[in-house]
Amino acid sequence: MLKILTAPHPLLRQKAQPVEHITDDIRLILDKMIDLMYQTDGIGLAANQVGILKRMVVIDIGADCPYKDLYPLKMINPSLEAISDNTIIYEEGCLSVPGEREKVKRSEMVSVSYTTPEGELKKIEVSGLLAVCIQHEIDHLNGVLFVDRLSKLKQELTWKHYEKQHKKTKGAPL
Ligand code: NI
């Protein structure tokens, strides 16, 4: 059973390693990540978040977009090939930082290459929410959380608020 790790779990701060061989185990993990993403109403999940330090992410933003036929996206070794100078501001949240949402500035368009579970190399160009989501998930693989993308002041406020919320629920009955 996979479980989502939440901050400040140290595995969320580690760099995931490339997948060298796509085995049945890898495909099984990706399928379990997708199940967990749907169960938790997330639109993306990186392997670090379930304690697996492999470069894998799953995404399904649900909305209509040119790549809907690829959904749910299962990306092995995703890599940003190009990012636009144009930026987009989107209010992000994260299953590993529950309860927090903040506006983050990212590139509006990205070109990303990745390998499918079937071993096919793909390269897609995406914009908007899907581009935001891909950047958020690749950040996870590098041990970066969306909070790190905020101003120093916002980071402090967000973590303070998070800790307060966290403490409140710590002693609560199960
Ligand atoms: Ni996240």
Side-chain angles (χ1 to χ4, degrees):
M1 231 334 235
L2 297 180
K3 199 176 146 261
I4 293 178
L5 306 179
T6 55
H9 198 288
L11 287 184
L12 294 170
R13 291 312 197 170
Q14 295 213 13
K15 212 173 145 87
Q17 298 304 307
V19 174
E20 289 184 17
H21 303 286
I22 302 173
T23 59
D24 284 343
D25 275 351
I26 291 289
R27 283 185 279 265
L28 188 65
I29 292 167
L30 283 163
D31 286 341
K32 284 186 173 175
M33 283 171 64
I34 288 195
D35 289 345
L36 189 58
M37 174 178 73
Y38 288 147
Q39 276 167 30
T40 51
D41 289 326
I43 58 171
L45 192 63
N48 303 45
Q49 292 180 276
V50 292
I52 297 168
L53 292 177
K54 295 271 183 204
R55 301 191 79 82
M56 301 191 286
V57 308
V58 296
I59 292 173
D60 188 343
I61 62 166
D64 233 359
C65 88
Y67 293 103
K68 202 160 167 56
D69 55 319
L70 298 178
Y71 285 170
L73 276 166
K74 301 175 189 176
M75 299 178 144
I76 298 168
N77 300 331
S79 167
L80 291 175
E81 302 294 336
I83 58 170
S84 69
D85 292 333
N86 276 6
T87 53
I88 180 172
I89 293 174
Y90 187 82
E91 196 181 67
E92 296 185 22
C94 179
L95 293 169
S96 293
V97 193
E100 305 304 321
R101 292 192 76 85
E102 286 296 335
K103 285 179 178 152
V104 182
K105 186 155 82 168
R106 297 188 187 269
S107 290
E108 191 193 359
M109 282 188 288
V110 300
S111 166
V112 61
S113 66
Y114 66 97
T115 305
T116 69
E118 293 73 39
E120 193 185 342
L121 191 64
K122 284 209 183 264
K123 191 169 156 186
I124 57 174
E125 272 175 44
V126 299
S127 60
L129 177 57
L130 186 53
V132 166
C133 192
I134 286 172
Q135 291 170 85
H136 177 118
E137 301 312 331
I138 290 178
D139 267 358
H140 272 303
L141 299 181
N142 294 323
V144 174
L145 297 173
F146 82 94
V147 182
D148 304 339
R149 298 278 179 196
L150 306 173
S151 70
K152 282 272 174 281
L153 179 64
K154 276 269 179 198
Q155 286 184 33
E156 263 175 48
L157 291 173
T158 304
W159 287 127
K160 234 180 228 170
H161 183 258
Y162 178 75
E163 274 165 32
K164 223 165 123 188
Q165 295 297 112
H166 192 64
K167 263 186 207 140
K168 237 188 249 172
T169 54
K170 226 179 200 171
L174 295 174

